[in-house]
Amino acid sequence: MTPRSTGSKATRAVDARRAAGVIDLYERGHIDLNDALARISGVDESDASVALPIDKRRINELLRELDDLVGLDEVKRMVREIFALVYVQRLRREHRLKADPTVLHMIFYGNPGTGKTTVARILARMFHECGLLEKGHLVEVERADLVGEYIGHTAQKTREQIQKALGGVLFIDEAYSLARGGEKDFGREAIDCLVKAMEDHKHELIVILAGYEREMRWFLSTNPGLPSRFPIQIRFPDYDVDQLVQIAKKTLAERDYRMTAEAEWALRSLLQRAVGEARLEPFSNARFVRNLVERAIRRQAVRLYDEPRPKRDALMLIEARDWQGDGGQ
């Protein structure tokens, strides 16, 4: 007779981590000895997976990193709500109170360059600190990374990206493109595979879909089951001119550059014109500003090239003429 298996190597590893976590809770005084023994033995399955207490200091450090981003006041408020809820739900479980499971899949609405990927990366790290994600990394994909060229290829590609994202966040940019090809398009297969993975790996994966607001709302309407799977929906607004100037200053400062007062006025005028023209097509926001900064730095380099040994201040200074000729996205 074959002896009964004691479980897979992966299962034993999970059990060992769980036991270590319970012992740590006991040693810190968060639970008593009887509670610890019950959790290790599996008698109390509802609490067996309770993780270590959340380190609020680390969460607050990441919130400060979020606060350092220019603008995005409503986004920052929503993120604080999400993590306050995660924290309080954890405390309720520790005190054996009812705590409904929180679905954390999200939709990010917004034009390019509004900080969606940056915020998603911070969220992944914060969920890791909360014990919700094992790794806390971000896997960023688009349609070409998920959709194949023949039957069966799409499911394979989508599963590969999902496997890469397990323990972290799968960020799908321009997600609406998955539904653009109609009923027979392979993008539909990617959506079905993704929805299944969200259920099969609900404790190992958080999915964030991102894209233009109008297109994303259309995308959600193509599948009645999608909106309920993404209960958190956050809008990333375009930056105004003052915020774009602030982003430019910050980008320059990070690279040891600064502007003259005349250069700042020249940049502001350029941005006002670009924002006004952007009514005809989506504006690329911070991405547009970063491109401007790159070109200004190149122009400054050309300007300084013929000067004999420019001094330190000159090497740092962006002048009004370094912005000249810019205006396209």
Side-chain angles (χ1 to χ4, degrees):
M1 189 169 99
T2 305
R4 191 177 71 174
S5 170
T6 56
S8 68
K9 184 178 179 181
T11 301
R12 292 195 298 274
V14 170
D15 290 341
R17 288 198 299 270
R18 177 184 299 165
V22 171
I23 291 170
D24 191 82
L25 286 171
Y26 169 67
E27 290 178 344
R28 293 189 190 190
H30 291 283
I31 58 176
D32 59 27
L33 180 59
N34 290 334
D35 195 359
L37 292 173
R39 295 187 188 192
I40 291 174
S41 65
V43 171
D44 189 349
E45 290 295 333
S46 64
D47 284 323
S49 62
V50 171
L52 298 177
I54 295 173
D55 186 348
K56 287 181 71 175
R57 179 182 55 82
R58 284 288 300 127
I59 295 296
N60 288 334
E61 286 175 5
L62 289 168
L63 285 172
R64 283 193 291 274
E65 187 175 329
L66 183 72
D67 286 338
D68 284 342
L69 300 177
V70 174
L72 303 177
D73 292 342
E74 183 63 17
V75 174
K76 294 170 184 175
R77 184 190 67 77
M78 283 288 295
V79 170
R80 277 180 161 75
E81 280 188 9
I82 292 166
F83 282 92
L85 177 61
V86 168
Y87 178 72
V88 170
Q89 292 291 78
R90 173 67 61 79
L91 291 180
R92 287 178 62 85
R93 280 193 292 272
E94 288 181 10
H95 288 279
R96 304 187 175 241
L97 296 169
K98 289 183 179 178
D100 295 330
T102 306
V103 180
L104 295 168
H105 304 302
M106 306 180 194
I107 302 283
F108 284 1
Y109 300 115
N111 287 332
T114 49
K116 299 187 294 297
T117 307
T118 301
V119 171
R121 191 169 285 114
I122 293 173
L123 284 171
R125 291 160 57 199
M126 292 176 80
F127 286 132
H128 172 64
E129 291 298 331
C130 290
L132 297 175
L133 293 175
E134 184 179 357
K135 299 177 183 177
H137 64 302
L138 182 82
V139 174
E140 183 178 359
V141 299
E142 54 188 22
R143 178 186 166 93
D145 300 305
L146 302 175
V147 179
E149 300 174 356
Y150 51 84
I151 295 173
H153 192 206
T154 293
Q156 176 188 339
K157 292 184 70 172
T158 303
R159 282 195 293 265
E160 286 174 356
Q161 296 299 333
I162 289 167
Q163 284 297 318
K164 290 180 186 177
L166 289 182
V169 169
L170 180 64
F171 182 87
I172 306 178
D173 199 14
E174 298 185 355
Y176 51 82
S177 64
L178 294 175
R180 273 187 168 170
E183 291 295 331
K184 295 183 179 181
D185 182 71
F186 291 141
R188 299 281 179 168
E189 186 180 356
I191 296 171
D192 293 341
C193 189
L194 179 66
V195 169
K196 184 177 186 302
M198 289 166 60
E199 183 61 32
D200 293 346
H201 303 286
K202 58 187 174 184
H203 300 303
E204 305 171 86
L205 178 70
I206 291 174
V207 177
I208 299 178
L209 307 182
Y212 300 120
E213 183 165 0
R214 184 175 63 182
E215 285 85 345
M216 287 302 298
R217 293 197 183 281
W218 167 81
F219 169 65
L220 293 176
S221 72
T222 64
N223 188 323
L226 282 177
S228 62
R229 296 180 185 276
F230 295 90
I232 301 173
Q233 301 187 10
I234 303 178
R235 184 174 178 274
F236 286 69
D238 286 336
Y239 292 107
D240 61 29
V241 171
D242 287 338
Q243 291 169 336
L244 292 170
V245 170
Q246 191 178 345
I247 290 170
K249 286 182 174 180
K250 186 175 180 181
T251 304
L252 287 167
E254 288 169 353
R255 302 178 63 172
D256 286 335
Y257 288 93
R258 57 187 175 83
M259 291 185 281
T260 64
E262 293 79 8
E264 182 174 337
W265 278 110
L267 173 63
R268 185 176 294 275
S269 175
L270 190 159
L271 290 171
Q272 286 172 339
R273 185 169 67 252
V275 169
E277 293 172 353
R279 296 174 191 165
L280 303 177
E281 58 183 79
F283 181 54
S284 59
N285 291 278
R287 189 179 303 170
F288 177 67
V289 170
R290 286 193 295 270
N291 289 337
L292 289 184
V293 168
E294 289 290 342
R295 287 198 288 268
I297 288 173
R298 291 197 299 270
R299 290 195 180 105
Q300 186 234 38
V302 171
R303 175 168 56 79
L304 295 177
Y305 180 76
D306 293 326
E307 293 188 15
R309 301 293 298 173
K311 294 185 178 179
R312 188 173 190 273
D313 281 350
L315 292 169
M316 297 176 64
L317 210 58
I318 297 295
E319 298 182 357
R321 53 183 160 167
D322 297 324
W323 300 118
Q324 288 176 5
D326 279 312
Q329 293 190 51

